[in-house]
Amino acid sequence: SIADFCLQTANMTHNESALRQLVKNRRFWVTAAAISSVALICYDWYSDRFASPSTRYMRIKEDYAISTTKLRQICKAFVREMEVGLSEDDQLAQSQKKSNLKMLCSHIYGVPAGDEQGIFYTLDWGGSNYRVLRIAFPAEKRGAPDTTEFKIKIEQQYQHADNAQVLFDYLSQHLQQQIAKNESDKNSVLVPVGFTFSFPMTQPRLDSGILLEWTKGFDIPDVVGKDVVQLMHASFANHAIDAKIYAVCNDTVGTLLAAAYDHENARVGLIIGTGTNACYIEPSLAKPDAPDHGLIINIEWGNYAKLLPRKPTDLIMDAHTPNPGVQFAEKMISGYYIGELVRLLTLEVFREKITDFGAQTPLNEPWQFKSPVVSDILAKYTTGDLNGVVQILHGNALNTFDVNDADIFAKLCVLIVNRSADLAATLLLGTLQKTGLYTCTRKDDRNPFEQDRFELMAEYRKDTHKKVTVGIDGSVYQHVPGYAQRMRECMRRVVGAEIESRVVMVHSSDGSGKGAALAVAAHL
């Protein structure tokens, strides 16, 4: 027995020695790490492959929620980017600029007083929609103008036309029809026209606009770098249209001017529709003889990019847009992209529950799931009508979806829409800071642990009733349920209730149309 004990002891000593040698062997640890990595990958694949849609939703929902700290960082970076953009020449090529914000001069100082009069026409080209408006301003101050409107949707063949003149002829002929219909006794007097052109442009003069780049899905190469007013006037001449464009402005500028006609202290114009952009009154660029009339600056904030929390869904979508690599803020906010983002996110969560339907459902076809459907779904969801959501999904050929699927689908819509509203509100706050509503400071900028302090400017502290008006237009702001409320909530989170309560957000009724007419009235 003593011999057996000695033998067992020797064997244990030998095994422990072998184990120590194995632990010290580098190849052992490399092999163990590789096996563990493969096991984890297999586990993640298996758990994700066979996970329910609700489990997948829970995994991704935090990725699309932006923290208050992150929103404040974006706001501060946006203001810095505005300041850099203001210091750069409008004519400088974007590739040569340090800022990704164009900060374009509108050549308009101050805003309407509300006593403008006369009859004007406006061409409102805001993206895929095009309008011709006849606007008659009454004699009484801030009186409601008499407006008639003709509206069409620009067909795809014109959005991607090879010949620019084909497009401009198509647009100008609708003006000709409206003038003939309404102004039979005009006695050959040139009809004054304002032109709302909602694409990035530089303006050497108020009646000149040189296209910098197409956005919102348009792609007509031989227009970039040309004066869109000259192109439209050439079409007027070709078709004997007795009209002249006296002012061209961005839709955000028109929205601001229209808001100022109806409301006091309008300082910002904002569009959240097919695309998104804002303009504001820059107090530091006022005329010396009129210090209260600051210059209106067109920010072109759709191209903002710094610190934006882009996700794989954003990257996939961007790669399949006509302008990949630019307009990141617009692609996370505006209506042109919301439907596609929801489509890609629902494919990630539901997978074969959608892909099995093939071409029967627009969710399997790029860019065929539209933002208005997202609005319809949210209208049902926010009232607790999940059966209504089911009906909408069945109408899009998702016939196997039940109320549980509808609940998750609607929550995915909420993720995309809330992120859009939060980013829009954050960029708006940066714009309001730049136009003089409040300041954002720290005692020690070098201390990363110190919280930002937000304080109203002196004129707003002195007058506790003074507020700033933001004129807003666009289908997303108007028609997406809960969007305006979400923007308000985000503003309170970021800068506090005291500052948020000083902001009046108004729907600038017919802003892009009426505003351009007001620009012409001021010029004449």
Side-chain angles (χ1 to χ4, degrees), residues 432-460:
L432 289 167
Q433 179 182 338
K434 197 71 181 68
T435 201
L437 174 62
Y438 72 96
T439 59
C440 174
T441 59
R442 288 184 182 183
K443 288 183 179 180
D444 184 359
D445 285 334
R446 297 170 297 178
N447 183 359
F449 301 104
E450 184 181 349
Q451 293 292 321
D452 293 319
R453 295 188 305 161
F454 304 97
E455 185 178 22
L456 289 167
M457 294 288 281
E459 61 180 300
Y460 292 92

Side-chain angles (χ1 to χ4, degrees), residues 429 432 437 456 460 464-469 488 491-492 495-505:
L429 285 173
L432 289 167
L437 174 62
L456 289 167
Y460 292 92
T464 57
H465 298 289
K466 185 171 185 177
K467 298 188 177 184
V468 61
T469 298
R488 282 283 186 192
M491 292 167 70
R492 281 194 294 273
V495 297
E498 182 184 18
I499 293 173
E500 180 271 331
S501 66
R502 297 298 190 96
V503 181
V504 179
M505 298 166 64

Side-chain angles (χ1 to χ4, degrees), residues 117-157:
Q117 299 179 34
I119 297 175
F120 307 90
Y121 278 78
T122 295
L123 307 179
D124 178 18
W125 186 356
S128 57
N129 295 319
Y130 175 72
R131 299 186 302 160
V132 178
L133 299 100
R134 181 186 185 271
I135 302 173
F137 292 101
E140 65 269 21
K141 186 168 184 176
R142 299 194 190 279
D146 181 23
T147 303
T148 58
E149 173 187 315
F150 171 81
K151 181 177 180 179
I152 60 167
K153 188 173 183 65
I154 300 176
E155 299 174 9
Q156 284 290 327
Q157 66 187 79

Side-chain angles (χ1 to χ4, degrees), residues 323-516:
N323 56 344
V326 295
Q327 297 293 114
F328 292 154
E330 181 166 88
K331 290 171 182 175
M332 297 176 75
I333 295 173
S334 73
Y336 185 83
Y337 305 96
I338 284 176
E340 181 65 4
L341 287 170
V342 168
R343 186 187 77 86
L344 292 170
L345 198 56
T346 56
L347 285 174
E348 181 180 345
V349 169
F350 287 99
R351 301 189 186 179
E352 66 278 354
K353 290 201 73 171
I354 293 177
T355 56
D356 283 353
F357 285 101
Q360 298 176 49
T361 173
L363 285 151
N364 285 322
E365 299 294 331
W367 303 100
Q368 295 307 304
F369 189 71
K370 304 297 184 181
S371 298
V373 182
V374 176
S375 296
D376 293 342
I377 289 172
L378 291 178
K380 299 293 184 182
Y381 182 70
T382 53
T383 59
D385 184 7
L386 283 177
N387 287 322
V389 177
V390 170
Q391 290 178 0
I392 293 172
L393 297 178
H394 286 183
N396 283 272
L398 300 179
N399 299 320
T400 61
F401 274 48
D402 57 21
V403 290
N404 293 323
D405 296 321
D407 181 58
I408 296 168
F409 197 105
K411 286 177 179 177
L412 294 173
C413 294
V414 170
L415 288 182
I416 295 299
V417 167
N418 282 355
R419 187 182 70 162
S420 166
D422 288 351
L423 287 174
T426 299
L427 300 189
L428 173 58
L429 285 173
T431 305
L432 289 167
Q433 179 182 338
K434 197 71 181 68
T435 201
L437 174 62
Y438 72 96
T439 59
C440 174
T441 59
R442 288 184 182 183
K443 288 183 179 180
D444 184 359
D445 285 334
R446 297 170 297 178
N447 183 359
F449 301 104
E450 184 181 349
Q451 293 292 321
D452 293 319
R453 295 188 305 161
F454 304 97
E455 185 178 22
L456 289 167
M457 294 288 281
E459 61 180 300
Y460 292 92
R461 294 198 306 272
K462 183 177 179 180
D463 184 351
T464 57
H465 298 289
K466 185 171 185 177
K467 298 188 177 184
V468 61
T469 298
V470 178
I472 309 180
D473 201 1
S475 56
V476 173
Y477 182 81
Q478 286 181 255
H479 302 307
V480 174
Y483 197 93
Q485 180 183 353
R486 178 71 184 197
M487 286 185 68
R488 282 283 186 192
E489 293 171 357
C490 178
M491 292 167 70
R492 281 194 294 273
R493 279 196 292 132
V494 174
V495 297
E498 182 184 18
I499 293 173
E500 180 271 331
S501 66
R502 297 298 190 96
V503 181
V504 179
M505 298 166 64
V506 299
H507 174 225
S508 188
S509 179
D510 199 20
S512 57
K514 184 168 69 176

Side-chain angles (χ1 to χ4, degrees), residues 69-86 98-103 252 268-270 276-280 282 297-308 328-330 333 422-435 438 440 452 494:
T69 299
K70 183 68 173 180
L71 291 170
R72 287 173 177 166
Q73 292 172 349
I74 292 171
C75 186
K76 291 178 71 173
F78 179 69
V79 173
R80 287 194 295 268
E81 202 74 0
M82 292 175 75
E83 292 168 348
V84 173
L86 275 178
K98 295 179 181 178
S99 173
N100 53 30
L101 297 175
K102 296 180 175 67
M103 304 298 288
T252 56
V268 176
L270 171 59
T276 184
N277 187 23
C279 71
Y280 74 105
E282 174 52 57
I297 296 294
N298 169 21
I299 302 172
E300 289 296 339
W301 83 11
N303 198 46
Y304 181 70
K306 290 188 176 178
L307 301 183
L308 294 181
F328 292 154
E330 181 166 88
I333 295 173
D422 288 351
L423 287 174
T426 299
L427 300 189
L428 173 58
L429 285 173
T431 305
L432 289 167
Q433 179 182 338
K434 197 71 181 68
T435 201
Y438 72 96
C440 174
D452 293 319
V494 174

